Amino acid sequence: MNPLANKIRPKNLGEVIGQKHLLGEGKILQDMISSGHLMNMIFYGPPGTGKTTVANIIASATGKKFYKLNATTDSLKDIKDIIKDLNTIMGYNGVILYIDEIHHFTKRIQQSLLEFIENGQITLIGSTTENPYFYIFKAILSRSIVLEFKKLTKEDIVEGLKRALELIKDDFPGKIISYDEAALNYMGELCEGDLRRALNILELILYSNSIKKDEICITINSIEKFSQKKILNYDRDGDSHYDILSAFQKSIRGSDANAAILYLGMLIKAGDLASICRRLLVIASEDVGLAYPQAISIVKSCIDAALQLGFPEARIPLAEAVILLATAPKSNSAILAIDSALKDLETLDVGEIPLYLKDGHYEGAKVLGRMQNYKYPHNYKNSYTEQQYLPNNVKMKQYYTFGNNKMEQISKAYWDKIKENKEI
């Protein structure tokens, strides 16, 4: 049986759901097709967003022969077989070679494509769910344009489902097909931007209920029955891994404990304990920092407990650490300080360390002027005396600025008094 997703596959760009930033009037793909001048392209985006469909439409609209390979199952031999057929192709305005999941091809196979791309024998369209700048051979990228296919919205999914229901009704003569608007909206939420998954669920509902019933009604209950549990769009080795971790840290930084707990749940569902632990330690230093310097010790204890417990119990100390960090006062003064210093070291000649700060604990150090006239702070009141510590070229630089939080402001007040020679 021909799958529903194939039956209703769009025949032209106007029927494609979503991707208006690429397919609308005056947009890049529409302009390419209108001009007849195609570039090599990498389609990058989540599954079920129309990458294969759009490649097919481009081939049809430009009169090119369409070949499709899948990098997970095909090989260099399959590419060479297609190249051998090029001279026998008649009546076509060139060839489009579409390679699904191109990131699975080895570097050697990707390199072999260069010859055929550069001599114009084929127009390459590669599709990938992974960030192409991490996984695609740079020479391929430099000869291609990367087009990002966006995750479909709930409204896009609902539009696609309604279109499918309209096109499929002739397959069920004598049957009445109805739906609850709320059910389609639920499906739009459930399938997280993957129209193909939504169509597969719809197909199960339609054909499973068409045998005994004269009326097929798509309801929330029927969707729950055939969809099983919700599948999070998460792959610990893929792009969404970094998206969730990014949202996780930004939510804690923004002091939103509710969002942080939700993203922690996504990471726990994926079983990604190592990434959670590493990111929590980073956040404790980067975002909470000196506003609550004890936080990193507490977080480290929670992490040690989580690692010892393992899932599912690890979720408890991890949640404790997340809530602690999300509700703690925030300061990024430490990361700003070190990044500022590193930038100067990369771009400036900071000069020599003052001689009196250099190591003087060896024979001949005095002759070299090492450690002469050094003022030992503990010999002075409050263990402080004014002295230049920075190299001359940057002696006026200020890398650390006290954060605007209670802890650092207490420290600032202390040192302001000390350096003004006031009594403490």
Side-chain angles (χ1 to χ4, degrees):
M1 184 176 68
N2 191 20
L4 178 58
N6 287 339
K7 287 182 181 180
I8 69 158
R9 191 179 293 277
K11 302 295 190 298
N12 57 67
L13 293 183
E15 296 177 350
V16 176
I17 303 296
Q19 315 310 330
K20 302 305 181 189
H21 63 295
L22 300 176
L23 307 174
E25 192 66 32
K27 302 302 181 182
I28 185 167
L29 279 177
Q30 183 66 62
D31 286 350
M32 266 199 239
I33 292 173
S34 299
S35 68
H37 179 72
L38 298 183
M39 299 179 63
N40 298 304
M41 293 173 269
I42 302 295
F43 289 174
Y44 161 50
T49 52
K51 298 187 293 295
T52 304
T53 295
V54 170
N56 266 296
I57 291 172
I58 290 172
S60 176
T62 55
K64 295 183 182 292
K65 176 72 173 175
F66 185 78
Y67 287 95
K68 180 183 176 182
L69 296 178
N70 190 303
T72 59
T73 55
D74 295 313
S75 64
L76 181 57
K77 179 181 180 300
D78 297 291
I79 297 173
K80 290 181 176 179
D81 288 343
I82 290 172
I83 301 303
K84 286 178 185 178
D85 288 343
L86 292 182
N87 294 330
T88 66
I89 296 172
M90 303 292 290
Y92 287 97
N93 186 31
V95 166
I96 285 180
L97 175 59
Y98 179 74
I99 303 177
D100 198 14
E101 303 296 339
I102 190 172
H103 60 278
H104 284 295
F105 269 158
T106 63
K107 183 177 179 180
R108 183 177 70 86
I109 295 178
Q110 290 188 43
Q111 284 176 316
S112 70
L113 288 168
L114 290 175
E115 175 188 346
F116 310 118
I117 291 174
E118 291 187 327
N119 64 21
Q121 288 179 281
I122 62 171
T123 298
L124 173 69
I125 301 180
S127 79
T128 176
T129 55
E130 306 294 348
N131 192 321
Y133 296 101
F134 297 156
Y135 292 94
I136 307 294
F137 184 43
K138 285 183 172 55
I140 295 282
L141 283 178
S142 69
R143 292 161 175 81
S144 308
I145 181 170
V146 176
L147 301 177
E148 183 175 4
F149 280 61
K150 303 290 187 180
K151 178 180 175 180
L152 298 181
T153 64
K154 179 185 75 173
E155 292 72 23
D156 291 332
I157 299 291
V158 171
E159 181 185 345
L161 291 170
K162 288 181 177 178
R163 179 174 179 270
L165 288 167
E166 182 63 29
L167 295 175
I168 201 71
K169 62 184 181 182
D170 290 341
D171 287 6
F172 299 89
K175 306 281 185 181
I176 298 173
I177 300 176
S178 63
Y179 59 84
D180 296 334
E181 195 72 34
L184 297 191
N185 285 324
Y186 175 71
M187 187 107 75
E189 294 280 1
L190 179 73
C191 294
E192 296 187 317
D194 188 340
L195 180 56
R196 188 186 303 114
R197 182 175 177 229
L199 291 171
N200 289 341
I201 295 170
L202 178 61
E203 184 174 18
L204 280 170
I205 295 170
L206 290 173
Y207 285 98
S208 297
N209 287 285
S210 65
I211 300 172
K212 299 178 181 178
K213 298 179 180 179
D214 293 329
E215 181 178 359
I216 306 168
C217 186
I218 293 107
T219 64
I220 289 177
N221 286 339
S222 63
I223 292 169
E224 288 178 339
K225 175 182 175 182
F226 289 101
S227 65
Q228 300 176 23
K229 68 176 184 177
K230 183 176 180 181
I231 300 172
L232 289 173
N233 182 21
Y234 182 92
D235 175 359
R236 73 171 65 189
D237 297 318
D239 210 31
S240 59
H241 164 85
Y242 299 102
D243 290 340
I244 296 173
L245 285 172
S246 176
F248 179 57
Q249 180 163 0
K250 288 182 173 71
S251 298
I252 294 176
R253 180 184 295 151
S255 302
D256 190 328
N258 294 311
I261 283 291
L262 176 66
Y263 294 124
L264 172 65
M266 291 183 182
L267 295 165
I268 288 173
K269 283 283 188 182
D272 196 359
L273 182 55
S275 291
I276 298 169
C277 294
R278 180 181 181 277
R279 190 57 61 112
L280 287 173
L281 288 171
V282 169
I283 294 167
S285 300
E286 178 180 348
D287 296 306
V288 173
L290 294 168
Y292 183 25
Q294 299 92 331
I296 192 166
S297 299
I298 299 171
V299 168
K300 179 62 167 61
S301 296
C302 289
I303 286 171
D304 289 345
L307 291 171
Q308 186 170 352
L309 290 168
F311 288 130
E313 289 85 357
R315 75 190 189 282
I316 305 168
L318 291 176
E320 180 182 345
V322 166
I323 294 169
L324 172 78
L325 292 174
T327 57
K330 305 295 189 296
S331 173
N332 66 344
S333 59
I335 188 173
L336 291 178
I338 186 59
D339 284 354
S340 178
L342 289 171
K343 181 180 179 181
D344 277 0
L345 289 169
E346 291 172 359
T347 59
L348 300 177
D349 175 12
V350 298
E352 286 287 321
I353 298 171
L355 283 174
Y356 50 83
L357 296 182
K358 292 186 176 181
D359 181 23
H361 297 92
Y362 57 90
E363 189 176 349
K366 187 174 182 180
V367 176
L368 296 174
R370 303 294 195 265
M371 212 167 148
Q372 303 302 302
N373 302 315
Y374 169 62
K375 298 175 183 177
Y376 185 58
H378 295 295
N379 290 337
Y380 297 84
K381 183 180 178 181
N382 297 316
S383 295
Y384 174 78
T385 185
E386 190 172 344
Q387 185 169 213
Q388 180 183 327
Y389 291 95
L390 284 167
N392 276 332
N393 292 0
V394 290
K395 66 181 181 180
M396 302 305 293
K397 283 279 186 175
Q398 181 175 328
Y399 295 111
Y400 171 67
T401 300
F402 289 96
N404 188 24
N405 58 78
K406 182 178 179 180
M407 184 66 69
E408 288 181 271
Q409 287 301 306
I410 290 172
S411 181
K412 181 179 185 299
Y414 172 82
W415 282 109
D416 283 347
K417 288 182 179 180
I418 292 291
K419 293 181 180 182
E420 290 170 8
N421 294 315
K422 293 182 179 180
E423 293 295 327
I424 297 298

